[in-house]
Amino acid sequence: MCGIGGVFSKTGKDVYPVLLDLLFSQRHRGSDGFGISVGGKTVKSEKIAALQGSFLSGHFGICHSLLSVTGHQIQPIEFPGKKTSLAHNGQIYNFREIGGADLSNDSESIPLFLSGNIGKKLALFMKKAAGSFACGISDKNHLLAFRDPVGIKPLWFGENSEIFAFASEPSALKKLNINFPLPLLPGHSVKISKKGVFGKKVFDLNDFKKTVPKKSTIESLHDSFLRAVDFRTSGQKKCGVFFSGGVDSSVIAKAVSGRVSETVLFTAGLAGSDDIVFADKAAGMLGLRLVACEIQKDELPGLSLQVLSALGHFDLMQLGIALPIFVCAREAKKHGLKVVFSGQGSDEIFCGYSSCQKALESGGEKAVQAQIWAALSQMWSRNLFREDIVSMHFSLEHRLPFLDLGFLRQAMALPVSEKILSPDDNLRKHAVRKIAAKLGLPNEITERQKKAVQYGSGVQKEIAKLF
């Protein structure tokens, strides 16, 4: 996607040099254009070096680095008729519904929708916007930052003795001597002014829960899934799919390839691992090109250090999941891609984990539904952060159709019995499997039992020997 940042000086000093530092720290998130807004004035350039020769005076402002996917609009952009600027990381797929039929750029829809009274309109925007977003706004005398209700796009904030700041990655804030950055919670905003930092809930998953219909069917779920894919493939000529050959990635691959002529599948694992073997077989069934990245055991120490450096913390399980994705993302970058898809979110929504069997046995369908909501509400802190960091390390926009809000409304209205049949049901995820069947996937794919990427790739067992 992109990288955004904002800085507010506690001492009244000019923040332009600090915003430049933020841009340099996050330039891997987008190198197609750079911009800084301070005091109602904005400078932009396709080259970050050009901004070093400029200067804007003021004690607070925002910055943006662009990964050009659907257009080449360098940000920050201005609110209509105001000295208010916006930096946006993400995509608003229904932007014409949000901002007007004549719009050609999704980011422009945000200031058009919010103009007049940002505070009062923000919750409605979060409810209506289809897509993902983390935004920073420089207003009259303060900064405002906010994040989508699921938490697909990251945003971190913090302070030291001289500044308050926010950024897309915690590592960028640490380079400003903000040693303990905090994540902004999904569906929340943070206002930064001379009075300090004030967080506020705007529209989170608890609010989203109230918009879920009482009933849903496999047919409406199928239709909403295709709409989510249509949104995310519009205008794309080539893209990648992180692919294991399982039902989730196969459903994504089938739907995406039907809309994007050049769709390439990527898988990674040790030679002879389950994912390498079955992904090759499944790709053949789908008639799609697969790039299989075989990882050698002697590569694992170096790869592990690279992945840990990107993640910024040590977690053996997260390392095992992230490492194959890192290898796939690196290969997708070599193929000149900017957009990749995956089936992230399906396990949380459709009872992909064996813990749902235990919940069903101990507390029935009500307990399972509560566990699904809990899993969704926690995704941002591990899974979504990991997916963003690893993908953006290679300047890749990672799109997640299963986490589309329209699809989620139908999925969460679907009876638990459509997802898991009994405490003895080791297959689970039957709703996704029915979508797969509707899309024409063969039984060998639709009935394949889940195997987590860290085990299917053969990576987890080997890296456990290293640490």
Side-chain angles (χ1 to χ4, degrees):
M1 286 283 181
C2 302
I4 66 171
V7 179
F8 193 105
S9 172
K10 296 179 179 181
T11 59
K13 291 183 179 180
D14 289 319
V15 296
Y16 189 90
V18 188
L19 290 166
L20 265 177
D21 288 341
L22 273 182
L23 282 181
F24 271 101
S25 296
Q26 299 187 122
R27 63 190 181 277
H28 57 280
R29 296 187 66 89
S31 58
D32 297 319
F34 304 89
I36 294 176
S37 287
V38 178
K41 296 181 180 180
T42 302
V43 292
K44 304 176 185 180
S45 175
E46 291 185 352
K47 302 294 183 182
I48 194 171
L51 298 187
Q52 292 178 292
S54 300
F55 185 82
L56 298 174
S57 180
H59 67 282
F60 65 95
I62 57 175
C63 61
H64 183 271
S65 59
L66 172 68
L67 176 63
S68 178
V69 175
T70 57
H72 198 78
Q73 184 183 51
I74 301 176
Q75 301 182 30
I77 56 178
E78 310 303 317
F79 274 62
K82 290 187 175 184
K83 291 184 177 181
T84 304
S85 302
L86 168 89
H88 168 220
N89 171 27
Q91 291 283 347
I92 308 299
Y93 300 108
N94 62 338
F95 64 93
R96 292 191 177 93
E97 297 174 26
I98 295 291
D102 296 331
L103 283 181
S104 59
N105 183 279
D106 68 305
S107 295
E108 291 175 348
S109 67
I110 304 173
L112 285 172
F113 189 93
L114 297 178
S115 185
N117 193 320
I118 297 172
K120 287 186 177 180
K121 293 183 177 181
L122 189 52
L124 184 59
F125 170 78
M126 289 193 180
K127 179 180 178 180
K128 288 189 171 184
S132 58
F133 50 87
C135 298
I137 293 175
S138 178
D139 209 349
K140 299 174 184 177
N141 56 8
H142 67 273
L143 300 178
L144 179 72
F146 56 91
R147 186 181 183 191
D148 67 74
V150 178
I152 296 173
K153 292 299 144 194
L155 204 59
W156 297 74
F157 67 98
E159 64 179 299
N160 60 29
S161 60
E162 297 184 345
I163 61 170
F164 300 111
F166 64 83
S168 295
E169 296 188 5
S171 59
L173 295 178
K174 290 178 180 179
K175 290 179 181 178
L176 300 182
N177 294 318
I178 296 174
N179 295 321
F180 301 102
L182 298 173
L184 182 63
L185 295 177
H188 283 60
S189 68
V190 59
K191 182 178 179 180
I192 302 174
S193 69
K194 63 181 180 180
K195 295 180 181 179
V197 178
F198 298 92
K200 181 182 179 181
K201 189 192 86 163
V202 180
F203 184 82
D204 66 3
L205 281 180
N206 286 321
D207 300 306
F208 170 78
K209 189 184 296 187
K210 300 172 186 177
T211 72
V212 173
K214 292 183 179 180
K215 294 182 180 180
S216 181
T217 63
I218 294 296
E219 287 71 24
S220 59
L221 185 72
H222 171 263
D223 292 346
S224 64
F225 172 70
L226 293 184
R227 185 167 186 260
V229 174
D230 284 339
F231 272 149
R232 287 158 179 78
T233 54
S234 178
Q236 297 302 303
K237 296 181 180 179
K238 60 180 181 178
C239 66
V241 176
F242 293 155
F243 188 74
S244 68
V247 66
D248 300 332
S249 61
S250 294
V251 163
I252 297 293
K254 178 69 173 179
V256 168
S257 64
R259 291 153 178 79
V260 181
S261 57
E262 188 177 345
T263 298
V264 184
L265 313 182
F266 295 88
T267 194
L270 301 182
S273 62
D274 287 351
D275 282 0
I276 289 285
V277 172
F278 197 84
D280 181 65
K281 187 175 184 180
M285 294 178 193
L286 296 174
L288 296 174
R289 179 188 174 196
L290 174 72
V291 177
C293 308
E294 287 195 359
I295 303 170
Q296 304 303 315
K297 290 183 181 181
D298 60 5
E299 293 182 272
L300 288 174
L303 277 173
S304 296
L305 292 178
Q306 291 179 58
V307 175
L308 289 172
S309 177
L311 292 175
H313 67 278
F314 179 80
D315 182 316
L316 189 60
M317 183 63 71
Q318 289 299 301
L319 173 59
I321 298 170
L323 195 148
I325 298 170
F326 183 92
V327 172
C328 287
R330 183 179 64 185
E331 194 64 27
K333 176 72 171 179
K334 291 178 182 177
H335 279 70
L337 300 180
K338 286 190 173 182
V339 174
V340 293
F341 288 80
S342 82
Q344 184 64 240
S346 176
D347 285 326
E348 286 76 9
I349 301 165
F350 296 111
C351 301
Y353 301 118
S354 59
S355 57
C356 288
Q357 295 170 252
K358 298 174 183 177
L360 186 62
E361 184 174 26
S362 61
E365 293 188 5
K366 188 175 181 180
V368 175
Q369 188 76 343
Q371 185 175 98
I372 294 172
W373 279 113
L376 278 173
S377 68
Q378 295 164 10
M379 278 193 72
W380 66 271
S381 64
R382 290 166 67 87
N383 295 13
L384 297 180
F385 172 75
R386 179 192 67 236
E387 303 297 294
D388 178 86
I389 286 289
V390 172
S391 298
M392 290 308 301
H393 187 79
F394 296 101
S395 302
L396 290 174
E397 181 179 316
H398 194 169
R399 297 187 175 182
L400 310 171
F402 285 131
L403 293 179
D404 176 84
L405 289 188
F407 179 76
L408 270 179
R409 286 187 178 95
Q410 297 302 318
M412 295 309 295
L414 203 67
V416 167
S417 59
E418 292 279 7
K419 303 175 182 181
I420 182 170
L421 304 180
S422 72
D424 299 321
D425 180 9
N426 291 320
L427 194 59
R428 306 182 298 277
K429 297 201 293 188
H430 296 284
V432 179
R433 300 180 193 281
K434 289 179 181 178
I435 291 177
K438 281 181 171 290
L439 293 176
L441 271 67
N443 288 342
E444 195 167 353
I445 293 177
T446 62
E447 300 301 314
R448 188 190 181 200
Q449 193 166 332
K450 172 184 169 56
K451 193 163 191 177
V453 63
Q454 64 270 35
Y455 304 116
S457 65
V459 164
Q460 191 71 43
K461 181 179 179 181
E462 295 301 321
I463 62 171
K465 300 174 183 177
L466 302 174
F467 299 98

